[in-house]
Amino acid sequence: MQLNDGALHIEDNITDAVWNDVKSLLSGLDDIAVILKDNTILTNVLDIPDAVSSMQFEKCKFAAPTELSGLKNGRSVILKNCRQDLLLGNVKIRGIVCNYFEISQEGRRISPGLLSPDIEECIFNSCICVGKVPAVFKHVSFIDKIRLTKNKKTPKIATENTDSDDEEEHEHLFFYDCIFQDYTEININIHAKISIHLENCRTTSTDERFHPSITFPANSEIIDIKIIKSNLSKLCLSLFMSSIENLIINDSSVGSLQLATIENDEKNAIYNVVITESIVNELSLRYRDIVHELVLTNTVFNTAPQMFGAKISEGSQFPIRKYFVSRKGEHDASCYRTLRYIMESQRNRDMEGMFFSLEQESLLNTKNKLHKLFSISNMYYLLSDYGTNYRRPLIIFLLSIPFFTIIYSLIRTHTVAVDLPIDWKNITNSLIFTLKQTFQPFDNLKNTQEIQEGNLIKSVFLSCVAIANTLFSFLLLTLSGLAIRWRFKRG
């Protein structure tokens, strides 16, 4: 062992005894860099002393299941071209807090012995992984940049335990209970098939100007993306022009899902998109071909989903109207219009009607409040959901009968008081009068005897209410009939 200019170079293989000597040597010192090159690690525990600020392993072999831990507020931990024993070797990195963390195996041939540690309960400002990707990130906080790179396919060493070609070229990224902070940028530049699993992860935000993001280069090959029980409401996932097979999100919130591609892209197919019980701020599936049924059940969309040029299989499942939050302006209207055309081509009348209603409401919301309140479009929406709901006008029609009966009873009665008994004869006559105005339009104008015999002011008021009763009933029945006709004609 040589301690020179704040750096400790260790030539011996690391056993428990050697590591105890290292800790004794460094006792009372500060800001020491420990450098190991071509060493064999034979100890199960590498607890880093307080005097150490950085650790570097180069071309080392981990021949035992080793746990590297103990670095607090360190500068760096670097592992370059290290490997592990196939039977006993394994590395777990736990409780490391440092500004810079790197695992680099660039230029080495692919073999099962390449180091792929599990990383738990760590905090990294910058995390760089080149070559073989770490197996698991668990309880890890990322503050700044994460760069995962695998530049090119390299030939493998022919051994009996070597994985098949398909397994060799399939990288798995696991993030469990991880935290992505404001400035985190995850740049994944892996030229191999990739599967990503995020479970119980979350984003933290202290500055609204910055949001974490995960970006992939164009033409990436994504086998699976699974987001389970995670709060990633500030996270942007960018997969423009990437090949994607399966996207599964359950019980999670996600900021932005940019899954768009370009028109006539030969690799535009996505086999499965399943987003359930979740919240999505933004979803873009432009020019994508969703091979199997699109499943979006019980998912809240804070902005209208963008599916311009997309192909959606029949039998796809969408949430009900209330789950589409944004209904503002021309852009939202165009998004819902696109979905309406898709549902129309599939003759899915319920979904077509829902998206037509959302489109019209988005256009209606471009008007000022006063204009919107008294517009015909708003009344059309309130009474029959833009002619797509035949039940609503029928229900309003049935409720209007007792409503007008009460009004007629109040007009006809001479005295109104709480302590007086109910005049059932007056109510019965008022009900009959209501039914006449409802089913015999403008009957009060044909039969003027009651008007002539009664009080002039009451008679005029009664006639006006009767005309309103007739017009309102006729309007509701017409709207219900048009909605029924719309369904049968299109169905």
Side-chain angles (χ1 to χ4, degrees):
M1 289 183 285
Q2 297 178 359
L3 181 59
N4 186 19
D5 294 332
L8 177 64
H9 296 263
I10 304 176
E11 295 84 11
D12 301 323
N13 293 332
I14 305 300
T15 62
D16 290 341
V18 171
W19 192 246
N20 286 332
D21 291 341
V22 170
K23 291 191 286 186
S24 298
L25 177 63
L26 299 180
S27 178
L29 301 179
D30 187 36
D31 197 15
I32 302 298
V34 175
I35 300 174
L36 297 94
K37 185 173 182 180
D38 295 311
N39 302 77
T40 298
I41 313 300
L42 299 168
T43 181
N44 292 327
V45 178
L46 276 177
D47 52 331
I48 302 174
D50 293 338
V52 176
S53 61
S54 62
M55 292 281 297
Q56 180 173 332
F57 300 84
E58 185 172 352
K59 298 181 181 179
C60 293
K61 180 180 179 180
F62 289 83
T66 304
E67 179 176 298
L68 178 65
S69 63
L71 183 64
K72 304 297 182 183
N73 300 318
R75 293 183 180 179
S76 63
V77 173
I78 300 174
L79 298 98
K80 289 188 175 181
N81 294 327
C82 295
R83 64 189 188 279
Q84 63 188 41
D85 185 85
L86 290 178
L87 297 178
L88 299 177
N90 187 23
V91 179
K92 179 178 289 186
I93 299 173
R94 182 194 295 272
I96 298 293
V97 180
C98 64
N99 291 328
Y100 182 79
F101 176 79
E102 177 184 341
I103 298 179
S104 176
Q105 294 164 357
E106 193 171 13
R108 292 187 61 86
R109 293 183 175 183
I110 298 298
S111 76
L114 288 184
L115 191 66
S116 181
D118 293 344
I119 304 174
E120 300 182 4
E121 300 175 6
C122 297
I123 300 176
F124 302 137
N125 274 47
S126 294
C127 177
I128 308 297
C129 302
V130 180
K132 185 69 175 176
V133 175
V136 176
F137 293 95
K138 188 174 183 179
H139 292 286
V140 179
S141 294
F142 300 100
I143 299 174
D144 195 355
K145 296 184 183 298
I146 307 172
R147 181 165 63 87
L148 307 173
T149 303
K150 185 177 180 181
N151 290 329
K152 60 181 180 180
K153 300 178 182 178
T154 55
K156 62 181 181 180
I157 297 174
T159 65
E160 293 181 0
N161 296 318
T162 300
D163 297 335
S164 66
D165 289 340
D166 290 339
E167 293 174 338
E168 170 192 331
E169 297 302 332
H170 189 176
E171 294 286 355
H172 296 267
L173 301 175
F174 294 94
F175 296 89
Y176 295 106
D177 298 284
C178 291
I179 299 175
F180 305 101
Q181 300 193 23
D182 286 323
Y183 305 95
T184 304
E185 295 180 7
I186 308 173
N187 189 308
I188 300 176
N189 189 13
I190 298 176
H191 295 278
K193 295 179 179 179
I194 311 169
S195 290
I196 302 175
H197 186 104
L198 297 100
E199 185 170 346
N200 290 320
C201 296
R202 60 189 176 93
T203 56
T204 61
S205 178
T206 57
D207 192 334
E208 292 298 325
R209 296 174 299 170
F210 301 96
H211 301 299
S213 64
I214 302 179
T215 59
F216 296 79
N219 302 316
S220 295
E221 295 183 78
I222 311 300
I223 302 300
D224 295 297
I225 296 180
K226 293 183 179 180
I227 302 176
I228 310 296
K229 295 181 180 179
S230 296
N231 182 4
L232 304 174
S233 57
K234 301 295 182 181
L235 181 70
C236 175
L237 180 63
S238 179
L239 286 163
F240 179 69
M241 285 188 66
S242 294
S243 171
I244 309 169
E245 291 191 10
N246 303 292
L247 172 67
I248 299 174
I249 301 175
N250 177 252
D251 194 18
S252 300
S253 60
V254 184
S256 178
L257 295 173
Q258 296 295 335
L259 311 179
T261 186
I262 60 173
E263 192 173 5
N264 300 322
D265 181 8
E266 295 181 356
K267 297 182 179 180
N268 68 340
I270 303 179
Y271 291 101
N272 294 289
V273 176
V274 180
I275 307 176
T276 56
E277 308 290 341
S278 298
I279 300 173
V280 178
N281 288 340
E282 185 177 358
L283 172 64
S284 177
L285 289 169
R286 290 172 179 259
Y287 299 109
R288 288 291 187 178
D289 182 3
I290 313 301
V291 177
H292 299 137
E293 292 87 352
L294 177 67
V295 180
L296 303 175
T297 53
N298 295 334
T299 294
V300 176
F301 292 94
N302 290 327
T303 61
Q306 301 177 34
M307 300 192 183
F308 306 107
K311 296 180 181 178
I312 300 175
S313 299
E314 292 191 28
S316 295
Q317 303 173 36
F318 291 88
I320 59 177
R321 176 191 178 90
K322 68 178 182 180
Y323 287 91
F324 296 94
V325 176
S326 181
R327 306 164 190 179
K328 299 177 182 178
E330 292 284 348
H331 177 72
D332 286 352
S334 64
C335 293
Y336 295 128
R337 187 181 305 120
T338 299
L339 285 165
R340 173 168 68 91
Y341 288 151
I342 294 173
M343 295 299 102
E344 182 180 5
S345 67
Q346 298 178 3
R347 305 182 73 83
N348 187 335
R349 302 313 170 197
D350 289 333
M351 290 294 101
E352 179 191 351
M354 183 184 75
F355 288 122
F356 174 72
S357 175
L358 288 168
E359 174 194 348
Q360 295 302 313
E361 186 178 354
S362 299
L363 295 174
L364 178 63
N365 288 332
T366 60
K367 302 177 181 179
N368 61 58
K369 292 184 179 180
L370 187 62
H371 190 187
K372 172 184 174 181
L373 182 63
F374 294 101
S375 67
I376 295 177
S377 178
N378 189 43
M379 295 299 298
Y380 194 24
Y381 162 65
L382 293 175
L383 293 177
S384 68
D385 201 1
Y386 295 106
T388 63
N389 189 332
Y390 66 90
R391 297 184 185 88
R392 185 183 298 177
L394 280 180
I395 292 173
I396 297 174
F397 170 76
L398 294 175
L399 293 176
S400 70
I401 293 176
F403 174 75
F404 281 106
T405 298
I406 293 173
I407 292 179
Y408 293 141
S409 299
L410 293 174
I411 295 174
R412 290 165 175 266
T413 189
H414 297 288
T415 305
V416 179
V418 178
D419 56 340
L420 292 177
I422 298 176
D423 188 350
W424 290 108
K425 182 178 180 180
N426 181 27
I427 292 176
T428 302
N429 291 334
S430 298
L431 176 60
I432 294 173
F433 187 78
T434 301
L435 295 175
K436 283 184 178 180
Q437 309 315 309
T438 300
F439 297 104
Q440 295 182 9
F442 305 109
D443 179 75
N444 67 309
L445 298 181
K446 300 175 185 177
N447 185 6
T448 60
Q449 180 179 357
E450 183 175 1
I451 297 176
Q452 293 173 355
E453 292 177 355
N455 181 280
L456 179 60
I457 296 177
K458 282 190 175 183
S459 298
V460 172
F461 185 51
L462 184 68
S463 297
C464 292
V465 174
I467 293 172
N469 183 185
T470 296
L471 293 175
F472 190 59
S473 300
F474 179 75
L475 174 64
L476 292 172
L477 291 174
T478 301
L479 289 175
S480 182
L482 289 174
I484 293 173
R485 180 178 178 274
W486 178 83
R487 284 179 175 268
F488 277 99
K489 183 179 179 180
R490 293 176 174 266

